[in-house]
Amino acid sequence: MERAREHEMGERQRRFADYFLETGNARQSAIRAGYTPNYASKLRQTPAIAAYIQQRLDEMDDERIASAKEVLKYLTAVMRGTEQKGDVSRMKAAELLGKRLGAFNEPSLDASEAPVIVDDIPADSFRERADE
């Protein structure tokens, strides 16, 4: 709300922003906040209101969307059996955790570690055996 504080919002502007977050409809929100319907687009473009709406949307996303740490904790709980999900779910959780932690990655071959094939057998030795 730092940007919203830079440009102080009035009570009606805050109500408009809150109604807009609720409904997603600027025209309806303007009416509910006590403005004329035609003033809705101007309100929506006001820097303080736009910053306030964006900040509130970001906060809502933080609350609704699980963080990576939260997902890892849940998968660990399922894998360990503290979340009663059944054996198949426990195995899947273990698999997902293993992939995430890189437990199943094959070590990559470095160019310096790559096998070198040396063809040191003379071609004549094959002909001699074929003639025999």
Side-chain angles (χ1 to χ4, degrees):
M1 210 148 81
E2 296 164 17
R3 283 189 67 193
R5 284 189 189 137
E6 289 176 15
H7 310 283
E8 282 298 318
M9 292 185 352
E11 181 58 32
R12 283 193 330 169
Q13 289 176 325
R14 188 169 313 281
R15 279 196 322 244
F16 165 79
D18 289 336
Y19 291 141
F20 181 78
L21 288 164
E22 230 177 86
T23 65
N25 183 323
R27 187 176 174 83
Q28 180 185 2
S29 300
I31 294 168
R32 287 178 67 188
Y35 292 101
T36 63
N38 296 336
Y39 200 60
S41 63
K42 182 171 173 67
L43 285 168
R44 185 75 177 94
Q45 294 172 3
T46 303
I49 294 173
Y52 176 78
I53 290 171
Q54 186 59 52
Q55 180 203 357
R56 292 292 310 275
L57 288 172
D58 292 344
E59 288 171 3
M60 288 179 200
D61 281 348
D62 288 345
E63 293 169 9
R64 284 191 305 230
I65 298 171
S67 68
K69 187 174 185 177
E70 186 178 358
V71 171
L72 290 174
K73 282 181 180 181
Y74 174 75
L75 289 173
T76 301
V78 170
M79 183 194 73
R80 291 183 177 160
T82 56
E83 291 279 333
Q84 300 302 318
K85 298 291 181 183
D87 290 338
V88 173
S89 295
R90 290 178 68 192
M91 292 295 289
K92 186 64 177 175
E95 177 186 349
L96 291 171
L97 281 169
K99 285 180 180 178
R100 169 64 176 89
L101 300 173
F104 307 126
N105 292 345
E106 301 262 339
S108 61
L109 290 178
D110 212 2
S112 62
E113 299 174 12
V116 177
I117 300 172
V118 179
D119 185 10
D120 60 350
I121 301 173
D124 295 343
S125 64
F126 287 116
R127 285 191 207 124
E128 288 173 9
R129 288 192 183 158
D131 292 338
E132 290 178 3

